[in-house]
Amino acid sequence: MFYRIFFTYTTIILMAMSALFIILSSYYSDFVIQREMDRQRNVIEEIQSELQKKHAFVKQGIRQLYLDKTLLQDLSFALQHDYQAYLDYRLDKYYESDSLVPYNFDIFVSNYFSSDSEVIAAVVRNEVYGSKYEYIYNHSQWNLLDDDEKELLRTPKNVHVLSEQINDPTSLDKLGTIDVLFSYRNIDQLLTVRENLSDVSFKLIDAEGNVRYAFGEGDYQAEKTLTYQSIQDGYIEDNGYLVQGLVDPVSELMITAAIPESKVENLTSYKLSIFLIILVLTLFSIGIPFLSLKNYSKRVNQMNRKMKEVQKGDLSVRMDTTTADDDLNVISSTFNETLDTLEEYINKVYFSRLKQKEAELANLQAQINPHFLYNTLEAIRMKAIAEGGRVTGKMIVQLADLFRYSLQTAELIPILDEKDHAYQYLELFKIRFPNQLTSEFHIDPAVMDAYVPPFILQPIIENYLLHGLKRDRLDNKVSTRITKKGELLHIVIEDNGKGIEPQHLEEIQERLASKHQTSSSIGLGNVNERIKMKFGDDYGIKLNSEPGSHTIVQIVMPLLKEVESHDQRYASG
């Protein structure tokens, strides 16, 4: 018993702790990952902010150009003529100007874009006229570009290019374009000064999947697996990496950050700490109850052995009790007291009651057992026949049969014998009251060989003849049906007599249901009590009646086919 309890308890504890570990690990894993993702998200948004600042810087320069009519005219002439013509134009304008300081779009572009240290170069061009003006601010980085990259025939790597179209504000015709090339120095500084980014790789990827900028040493190739659509919602797990990003709507660059799941800060240490804590709790949860239950198990096993000895019939066994105030000690004390009471009951009450019941049962069956009358009645019958009284002789024969039936001492008799006894009683009554009563017996062939206690039909029929018969009528009738229902024998005795008033019927039903019936009556109570004593409280008589109409008596008892099997069955009860 102890091992079953302990095994069940241990299983529950292990399942609960395992579930707790899974829940906590999952929660803290999600928490740590989300915290890392939020940190990287902030960095990504700062990168986006840097890109947007560059775009705003270029936009602001174009806006200032549009606001100065002189600059715009100068730019328009320069883009629509060759450089020599433009120089002549500038000289003419300088001579016409009252200012000693020349001011033109060339000076404006050179000065404006030099204010941002990340600008590598600015190129103003008109593809139609083939004019182009280059302004180099960082010669070392510019020289690293090949000719195709300088002409922007191929996107330069690690260079951020912003292109803006310049239109005539009046006609909205295209005058040309300005391409501004920025380095990623600010973004490099941003990512370098941030702590705990050594395991994170950042990339800027254009719509064609080209990597425009990369930071970090991660092996994750975001440009090959990610799309603009897949990176929009939260973060994704891909090939052991946690990846997130966003698309800058201005530059149309996808900014991504990827970190190996194994490198997420403190994730492994969190799980290990949770595991150790739960392991310690599990050991305490199992170990402490184990020590308590072990002592209880020893005492329970002892109690079990004592109970088995009692089960074998040894009522002298007593359980050991202690001074401990616990449930087992209470059970032991109660068990000992119960055995003491049981022994006393068996010795003083049970045996005496058993003898009393046996004597009462024998007395009930022998209440109409005057043996000596049989020989006397036989002598009277012979005398009556000798004197010509044949009806009287017949009545004496039937009465003698009734008395002879009452002489038997068997506890169970064939159902046909019981039926014949009731039939003889009715025939004797019909002689006394001719043409006033008809009777019927219906017996199911399946119960022809059944056995029943004696004197269960005649007392009930007699009860009807004494209390229910309508003497002023000639259509009195009593019928008896004996049938089988499952493993039960059902006997129904129905008459069309006076019936029973509701209040009196209720009193009779209460007496029949009571376990303490009087044995002074040999009618319903007698039959009911003998059946219950013989077979148990689940069997007996049920009574229903309608005043002035009918009365139905139903007897229910086990269906017995063999007397020996019945005696063996009920001998142990």
Short mmCIF file of all heavy atoms in Angstrom, two decimals, residues 136 187 212 321 356 460:
data_model
loop_
_atom_site.label_atom_id
_atom_site.label_comp_id
_atom_site.label_asym_id
_atom_site.label_seq_id
_atom_site.Cartn_x
_atom_site.Cartn_y
_atom_site.Cartn_z
N ILE A 136 33.66 65.89 -54.90
CA ILE A 136 34.27 64.84 -54.10
C ILE A 136 34.63 65.43 -52.74
O ILE A 136 35.37 66.42 -52.65
CB ILE A 136 35.53 64.27 -54.77
CG1 ILE A 136 35.25 63.93 -56.24
CG2 ILE A 136 36.02 63.06 -54.00
CD1 ILE A 136 34.13 62.95 -56.44
N ILE A 187 26.65 54.83 -38.64
CA ILE A 187 26.03 53.56 -38.25
C ILE A 187 27.07 52.62 -37.65
O ILE A 187 26.81 51.93 -36.66
CB ILE A 187 25.34 52.92 -39.46
CG1 ILE A 187 24.18 53.79 -39.93
CG2 ILE A 187 24.83 51.51 -39.11
CD1 ILE A 187 23.46 53.28 -41.16
N ARG A 212 23.85 45.88 -48.97
CA ARG A 212 24.45 47.21 -49.10
C ARG A 212 25.37 47.55 -47.94
O ARG A 212 26.28 48.37 -48.07
CB ARG A 212 23.33 48.24 -49.20
CG ARG A 212 22.39 48.02 -50.37
CD ARG A 212 22.98 48.47 -51.67
NE ARG A 212 23.12 49.91 -51.67
CZ ARG A 212 22.15 50.75 -52.03
NH1 ARG A 212 20.98 50.26 -52.42
NH2 ARG A 212 22.35 52.04 -52.02
N THR A 321 -1.77 0.07 20.22
CA THR A 321 -2.05 1.51 20.26
C THR A 321 -0.88 2.23 20.90
O THR A 321 -0.10 1.64 21.66
CB THR A 321 -3.33 1.81 21.06
OG1 THR A 321 -3.20 1.27 22.38
CG2 THR A 321 -4.53 1.18 20.38
N GLN A 356 -34.21 -17.70 19.19
CA GLN A 356 -35.57 -17.17 19.29
C GLN A 356 -36.24 -17.16 17.91
O GLN A 356 -37.42 -17.51 17.78
CB GLN A 356 -35.51 -15.75 19.86
CG GLN A 356 -36.88 -15.09 19.98
CD GLN A 356 -36.78 -13.67 20.51
OE1 GLN A 356 -35.71 -13.25 20.92
NE2 GLN A 356 -37.89 -12.96 20.51
N ILE A 460 -53.53 -15.75 2.98
CA ILE A 460 -53.95 -14.54 2.26
C ILE A 460 -55.36 -14.72 1.71
O ILE A 460 -56.19 -13.81 1.77
CB ILE A 460 -52.94 -14.24 1.13
CG1 ILE A 460 -51.58 -13.91 1.74
CG2 ILE A 460 -53.43 -13.08 0.26
CD1 ILE A 460 -50.48 -13.73 0.73
#
